[in-house]
Amino acid sequence: MSRTASTAAPVLPIRGRLRPLGLGDVRITGGFWAERQSVNAEATLAHVEYWLERAGWTRNFDLAASGDIARERRGREFSDSEVYKLLEAMAWEIGRTGDEGLESRFRSIVERVAAAQEPDGYLNTKFGRPGQAPRWSDLEWGHELYCVGHLLQAAVARARTRPGADDGLVEVARRAADNVCETFGPGGIDGLCGHAGIETALVEFARVTDDDRYLAQAALFVDRRGHGRLSDVEFGREYFQDELPVRHATVLRGHAVRANYLAAGAADVAVELKDASLLDAVRNQWQNAVARRTYVTGGQGSRHQDEAFGEDWVLPPDRAYSETCAGIGSVMLAWRLLLADGDPRYADLIERTLFNVVSTSPSADGRSFFYTNTLHRRELGTLPDADRPSLRAAASLRAPWFEVSCCPTNVARTLASLTAYVATSDDEGLQLHQYMPGAVVHRRADGRDLGVSVATNYPYDGEIRVRIDTDGPGSDADDPWSLSLRVPGWAAEGATLTVAGQTRPVGPGVVTERRAWRRGDEVVLCLPMAPRFTYPHTRIDAARGCVAVERGPLVFALESVDVPGVETVDELRVDTSQAPRLVDGRVTVRCERVRADEPDWPYRTDPDGSAPVADEQFDEVPLVEYHAWANRGPSTMRVWLPTTA
Ligand SMILES: [Zn+2]
């Protein structure tokens, strides 16, 4: 595949086990994700645009071009990146739907951004102008390179969805990238950014422009990290992964967004440069982080203080930070590894994280967001003022905007480009990784179209009907190709595949059918959708003695609004002798309400003295899909439920 291939997707590696299919090849036509894409398009993009304007972050570009930016600039040091993430989201959305109204809004923001670029290509509203700190004077916290990274990602989205468009964004990005290479290339500043992100962006920009200088610069940034070039900070150098070279690290650590972005960039560099040992290191870090540092929701990061991964097994539900952006970073990393290796475990984590972190952040109306995604709320939250930005983790419920508002724009760009994370191709045929109603058509190198459509009510129903939409090249030509479907890891028992009337059991992994497919042929994957109890590993102390409830890829929660008379869900214990049941479309469990004494000192020498006493029985307590919690006002909530056992 050429680097300049025009597939409309965020990640286009030059080599790897699988090739991504883009917005032109895949359509999502209904269901869970189509609904979210449409709320994103109709509400979130305008909401974000409004707040960026209102917060003054877009106006910073105007002030930088012709105003008193030093005196009047508003927002944190990384606020430029939120404008770029909106541009990226808009570019994908325009590519997806061809919305001309959005196109003109997009162009007008690009014009304002372009006007602020300095003659040598440098572009940042926080540094370098009279009265401001000098350029590159705060690599630890300044986020200048990080911001350029998001500018490049916006340009990549634009170049791949409207190739040759005359809005100028790609040229602005090219000048900014050139400025970075001139400043930080060989012989330049021997430094790197405190927040990774430019690495993935430079590699992707190299793929778009077919210019290896950007790739070389990305490789340089990856190699420079881990040698203490950044000054020590209060959280330690691990915070920005500068305590250990990427290729020596064995687990994701430090700030969870930075860690995922860096690993994703290292994977990109490794794939492009055929650096097998670097790719091995990233795989290993991913594996260990998933095995010991990831919440059941797919969320990552249990430390509030530095928004960071905890040590192994430190996964307290009530102190889960699980930043929305860390979930998005995790999807970015797993997608790159999936393309490189084809291992379905990466797609499993993507599915879990999309359903239980990314889709949890936005409210049903797409106008407020969770920044952190706790798994346990003990007290009623307070509704944030709809007219004022919240502090990031301070908001106990979804807030319209934050002083640090990385998550809303990140959700917007992810949902707008989600179509590109559904399916891939290889020389053998097509692979479906995520299930939703839609269609995939891929034109092979030999000009032949391979097409399928998917009918399903997943994740509410386990039946996934895949119909072949394209004929063989001749009426009776025998030209077989392979259709591969992912059987999720949670479907350990009971999944079946039906092809040509023959049904057989299938287990987790990838199931591939190779045939001379005819238009109208059908493959039906049936996944077991009975709700199930999930138990934590014995080393996760904070969840010991508890169960979670899952159904398909969805994690459930007990929310107080569903239990009349109970304000504190912590009073309830689940009776695990009865499996969770589906009643009128809702997952339910049997619970006891228990009364524990409340002594002056909550510790005692008598081991049974504080055993709670059951005082009420609830036969069918409905649970809420975790992503949908807190959409009905303040509540208490928990994912890990104590049991009566
Ligand atoms: Zn964020």
Side-chain angles (χ1 to χ4, degrees):
M1 185 169 61
S2 150
R3 272 222 184 96
T4 46
S6 62
T7 303
V11 190
L12 284 189
I14 196 163
R15 66 179 65 81
R17 170 70 189 80
L18 305 174
R19 294 186 291 262
L21 298 181
L23 275 54
D25 310 304
V26 183
R27 273 184 309 125
I28 303 172
T29 53
F32 189 98
W33 292 112
E35 205 174 293
R36 272 147 190 84
Q37 285 195 309
S38 104
V39 169
N40 189 52
E42 282 154 29
T44 304
L45 292 183
H47 174 88
V48 165
E49 191 180 357
Y50 163 81
W51 273 98
L52 286 171
E53 206 64 71
R54 178 175 157 166
W57 302 353
T58 314
R59 181 163 174 266
N60 287 340
F61 290 93
D62 308 336
L63 292 171
S66 59
D68 188 354
I69 182 70
R71 209 167 49 83
E72 293 185 52
R73 187 183 185 284
R74 289 172 63 195
R76 293 285 300 268
E77 57 278 21
F78 35 75
S79 69
D80 291 1
S81 71
E82 311 309 348
V83 178
Y84 301 148
K85 279 193 275 182
L86 173 64
L87 285 176
E88 183 188 341
M90 285 175 153
W92 292 123
E93 189 56 31
I94 293 162
R96 194 175 75 85
T97 60
D99 184 332
E100 287 308 319
L102 196 57
E103 168 77 14
S104 73
R105 284 153 58 196
F106 172 88
R107 283 176 177 261
S108 113
I109 299 173
V110 169
E111 217 170 280
R112 295 165 70 186
V113 166
Q117 189 164 38
E118 300 192 40
D120 65 353
Y122 179 85
L123 180 49
N124 190 293
T125 66
K126 175 77 178 170
F127 293 90
R129 287 188 164 78
Q132 294 185 316
R135 294 178 184 183
W136 319 118
S137 57
D138 183 7
L139 291 175
E140 288 75 18
W141 298 107
H143 288 74
E144 286 160 283
L145 289 164
Y146 166 87
C147 286
V148 173
H150 279 298
L151 171 67
L152 300 187
Q153 296 287 15
V156 166
R158 185 60 168 175
R160 290 192 179 144
T161 49
R162 289 255 164 126
D166 63 357
D167 53 274
L169 180 60
V170 176
E171 281 315 304
V172 168
R174 191 193 299 268
R175 287 196 295 276
D178 289 348
N179 177 258
V180 166
C181 292
E182 282 150 22
T183 309
F184 287 90
I189 301 173
D190 182 25
L192 68 161
C193 189
H195 197 314
I198 194 165
E199 298 82 0
T200 49
L202 282 167
V203 173
E204 218 55 51
F205 202 62
R207 290 166 177 165
V208 159
T209 57
D210 215 5
D211 188 336
D212 280 342
R213 258 190 334 145
Y214 308 128
L215 170 61
Q217 187 63 49
L220 208 50
F221 282 139
V222 169
D223 280 340
R224 275 182 194 163
R225 195 173 298 267
H227 301 280
R229 282 182 173 85
L230 294 167
S231 305
D232 207 355
V233 292
E234 56 178 322
F235 308 126
R237 284 203 177 86
E238 184 181 280
Y239 175 73
F240 30 49
Q241 296 79 39
D242 194 35
E243 92 293 7
L244 196 61
V246 181
R247 57 182 82 237
H248 296 160
T250 57
V251 69
L252 299 180
R253 75 279 177 222
H255 187 270
V257 182
R258 284 167 166 83
N260 275 291
Y261 283 13
L262 174 63
D268 284 335
V269 166
V271 165
E272 289 294 319
L273 298 180
K274 296 189 190 170
D275 189 335
S277 69
L278 181 59
L279 192 57
D280 270 347
V282 175
R283 275 190 201 104
N284 189 37
Q285 290 164 31
W286 181 88
Q287 172 60 49
N288 287 332
V290 170
R292 301 197 291 264
R293 297 186 174 189
T294 302
Y295 285 99
V296 68
T297 53
Q300 295 182 336
S302 57
R303 298 221 157 135
H304 281 238
Q305 173 180 268
D306 47 354
E307 307 186 303
F309 282 98
E311 290 160 16
D312 288 349
W313 315 113
V314 179
L315 294 164
D318 51 358
R319 292 294 291 161
Y321 197 75
S322 183
E323 181 180 341
T324 302
C325 289
I328 289 169
S330 168
V331 169
M332 289 166 55
L333 172 58
W335 179 246
R336 283 158 172 82
L337 293 173
L338 176 66
L339 295 178
D341 297 349
D343 187 331
R345 290 177 312 148
Y346 300 123
D348 280 356
L349 186 73
I350 290 172
E351 171 172 69
R352 182 174 289 279
T353 309
L354 286 175
F355 275 117
N356 303 296
V357 179
V358 178
S359 76
T360 305
S361 174
S363 59
D365 72 0
R367 293 189 176 91
S368 58
F369 306 85
F370 275 130
Y371 186 110
T372 63
N373 294 280
T374 187
L375 276 72
H376 185 178
R377 179 156 301 287
R378 295 174 189 271
E379 296 179 356
L380 298 180
T382 43
L383 279 171
D385 190 337
D387 206 37
R388 261 184 34 204
S390 293
L391 298 172
R392 49 183 134 176
S396 53
L397 292 167
R398 294 179 182 88
W401 198 249
F402 303 87
E403 300 290 354
V404 174
S405 222
C406 47
C407 301
T409 51
N410 228 350
V411 168
R413 71 180 183 129
T414 304
L415 290 177
S417 59
L418 192 72
T419 317
Y421 293 89
V422 173
T424 56
S425 72
D426 66 4
D427 291 343
E428 306 300 313
L430 297 179
Q431 303 82 38
L432 299 185
H433 305 286
Q434 307 299 339
Y435 299 121
M436 52 198 83
V440 179
V441 181
H442 168 59
R443 178 151 295 178
R444 265 191 344 198
D446 64 5
R448 184 177 171 197
D449 285 337
L450 308 184
V452 299
S453 53
V454 180
T456 183
N457 190 29
Y458 189 80
Y460 301 108
D461 186 293
E463 185 182 271
I464 296 142
R465 305 186 83 86
V466 184
R467 210 186 60 136
I468 308 298
D469 287 341
T470 44
D471 280 320
S475 57
D476 52 15
D478 181 21
D479 180 11
W481 58 274
S482 299
L483 175 65
S484 298
L485 305 176
R486 177 178 62 98
V487 180
W490 52 260
E493 277 172 43
T496 62
L497 189 76
T498 304
V499 189
Q502 302 288 311
T503 299
R504 66 175 202 269
V506 289
V510 173
V511 53
T512 297
E513 282 293 310
R514 185 169 180 81
R515 286 170 186 253
W517 298 104
R518 293 302 156 122
R519 183 189 296 266
D521 285 354
E522 207 170 47
V523 175
V524 183
L525 176 64
C526 278
L527 299 173
M529 298 303 282
R532 60 189 189 274
F533 285 127
T534 299
Y535 299 86
H537 188 279
T538 176
R539 295 287 303 276
I540 304 175
D541 301 79
R544 188 171 299 134
C546 293
V547 292
V549 177
E550 296 181 275
R551 179 176 184 237
L554 298 176
V555 173
F556 284 74
L558 176 57
E559 192 178 10
S560 55
V561 289
D562 285 315
V563 203
V566 172
E567 188 171 289
T568 304
V569 290
D570 297 350
E571 293 173 358
L572 298 179
R573 299 197 173 212
V574 173
D575 179 357
T576 49
S577 70
Q578 179 188 291
R581 302 199 304 158
L582 205 54
V583 178
D584 299 332
R586 293 198 69 178
V587 173
T588 67
V589 289
R590 183 153 73 191
C591 289
E592 275 176 4
R593 183 182 194 155
V594 295
R595 211 164 16 87
D597 60 349
E598 292 192 18
D600 294 338
W601 179 240
Y603 310 97
R604 56 201 308 155
T605 49
D606 167 8
D608 298 321
S610 65
V613 182
D615 72 353
E616 203 176 342
Q617 197 85 32
F618 296 85
D619 278 342
E620 307 283 3
V621 175
L623 303 180
V624 65
E625 292 162 29
Y626 172 71
H627 67 81
W629 92 274
N631 269 318
R632 296 169 291 175
S635 61
T636 58
M637 177 279 298
R638 61 189 300 165
V639 167
W640 287 110
L641 309 169
T643 70
T644 55

